[in-house]
Amino acid sequence: MVTSRARGRWAALLLAGLTPVVAELTLGNPPLRQAWLLLLWVPIYGAGTVLIRELVRRTGRGWLAILLLGAAYGIVEEGLALQALTSPTIYGVADWAPRILGLNSAYTELNIPYHAVFSVALPILLVDLTIPDLRHRPYLGRTGLVVAGVVFVLGALLLRWTTAFIDPGYQAPPAVLAAFVLAIAVLAVLALRFTPRPPDVAAAAPRTVPAPPVVACLAGVVAFGYLALLFPFGGARHPAFTQGGWVAVPMVAAALLAVAAAVLLRRWAAHGEWRDRHSLALAGGALVAHTAFGVIANGENTTDRLSLAALGLVMLALLALLARRTR
């Protein structure tokens, strides 16, 4: 008979392996022909998400804490390891929009929320739905928590030392790195000390929540819209095919879209009629739209686009199987 502790370890391994697949592979970054690169990302992505979930579950916090720590994770990866938030040359992102206080503004607006949602929150949600009896409990003991933390730090260092992913001629100024560390610390304290604890029972509300297909469609629109507003694609050099000062328009639109989605989701999730099938519809809609955008924006050639589309079909089949279990 498998013990609860052993099941928790298996759940942690599932979460660690799923995270880079959701965050990177299903977006087409890297393409399937370079899927081996995920081995380099499992330590930072996988251990980082496991560490966040363990801390949140141990402190009894909820999804707001997960999202705040997900944003902190984004700063660790993009600000400290890759240093892409401030590099003037990496990926060409400094040319997307004006740099603000040394930050690549559009890239920062795109990637910090992206990591919070796709690198942290959605993988945690999917594993919680897959293993529902462990969703409110930590997966690991104290030793496992320490191991996850150590692997996460080593993963960040590995990413920093792997020159294929960084700008080898750039080193962020010490003051910038100190500011990132401070921001990470502030987000962690806010998440683990000041976010509300989830109620035992969802509160009743005068309005019902939408049906799961509606939730899936809205999640897909928000995910696709946010990515399309901020990530230049189709030969564009700036977000949403803008030029000059007009780049502020899609950046503001993306921020408003994210805020509106957060307000609606908070209202719906607090309703007594919100069920696991709604949560799965939310995750599924966002993931499908995320992969659809990857087919359009990230495929370097027809083979890459077709392979990503095929991966999307496999993902749909797995989501359908999980939907049957959830129902």
Side-chain angles (χ1 to χ4, degrees):
M1 181 177 179
V2 181
T3 65
S4 177
R5 181 169 295 182
R7 293 183 69 242
R9 288 194 291 267
W10 280 112
L13 289 173
L14 174 62
L15 178 57
L18 180 65
T19 297
V21 173
V22 169
E24 297 287 350
L25 195 64
T26 58
L27 185 63
N29 181 27
L32 277 177
R33 55 187 165 82
Q34 295 179 331
W36 62 270
L37 290 172
L38 294 183
L39 296 176
L40 299 176
W41 292 334
V42 166
I44 184 170
Y45 274 105
T49 301
V50 169
L51 178 64
I52 287 171
R53 188 193 182 279
E54 291 299 295
L55 292 173
V56 171
R57 291 293 181 263
R58 287 169 180 272
T59 55
R61 305 293 167 172
W63 286 104
L64 179 57
I66 287 175
L67 290 171
L68 289 175
L69 290 176
Y73 167 88
I75 297 174
V76 172
E77 179 178 326
E78 302 288 349
L80 298 180
L82 296 174
Q83 299 189 3
L85 298 184
T86 54
S87 171
T89 57
I90 192 170
Y91 312 144
V93 298
D95 297 328
W96 288 8
R99 285 163 58 89
I100 299 175
L101 299 177
L103 290 175
N104 298 320
S105 57
Y107 184 83
T108 301
E109 183 182 355
L110 171 65
N111 277 276
I112 300 305
Y114 179 89
H115 282 300
V117 174
F118 286 96
S119 300
V120 177
L122 287 185
I124 290 174
L125 176 59
L126 288 171
V127 176
D128 281 353
L129 292 171
T130 303
I131 313 174
D133 57 312
L134 296 180
R135 71 176 63 185
H136 300 301
R137 299 167 52 186
Y139 290 151
L140 304 172
R142 184 173 299 178
T143 301
L145 178 67
V146 172
V147 169
V150 171
V151 173
F152 172 60
V153 172
L154 293 177
L157 293 174
L158 175 64
L159 202 62
R160 181 66 195 155
W161 290 335
T162 306
T163 57
F165 302 112
I166 66 171
D167 176 1
Y170 174 76
Q171 173 63 51
V176 170
L177 297 178
F180 286 153
V181 172
L182 178 61
I184 293 165
V186 169
L187 288 170
V189 172
L190 287 175
L192 300 177
R193 295 293 300 273
F194 296 103
T195 56
R197 301 176 188 273
D200 293 332
V201 180
R207 297 181 181 179
T208 59
V209 299
V214 177
V215 174
C217 289
L218 291 176
V221 169
V222 171
F224 192 97
Y226 193 84
L227 293 171
L229 283 168
L230 293 173
F231 185 87
F233 65 98
R237 296 183 57 193
H238 309 284
F241 302 93
T242 53
Q243 296 290 336
W246 289 103
V247 72
V249 174
M251 293 178 68
V252 171
L256 293 175
L257 181 64
V259 170
V263 170
L264 283 177
L265 180 58
R266 183 177 182 274
R267 180 182 301 175
W268 293 339
H271 196 288
E273 293 186 7
W274 184 272
R275 298 288 187 267
D276 280 356
R277 61 182 183 273
H278 293 94
S279 297
L280 181 58
L282 176 75
L287 287 171
V288 169
H290 163 266
T291 299
F293 181 78
V295 171
I296 295 171
N298 273 341
E300 295 182 3
N301 51 55
T302 301
T303 300
D304 286 349
R305 288 190 286 272
L306 289 176
S307 62
L308 181 56
L311 178 62
L313 293 176
V314 173
M315 180 181 67
L316 272 174
L318 294 175
L319 288 169
L321 288 176
L322 184 55
R324 292 185 61 182
R325 291 187 57 187
T326 303
R327 188 180 304 114

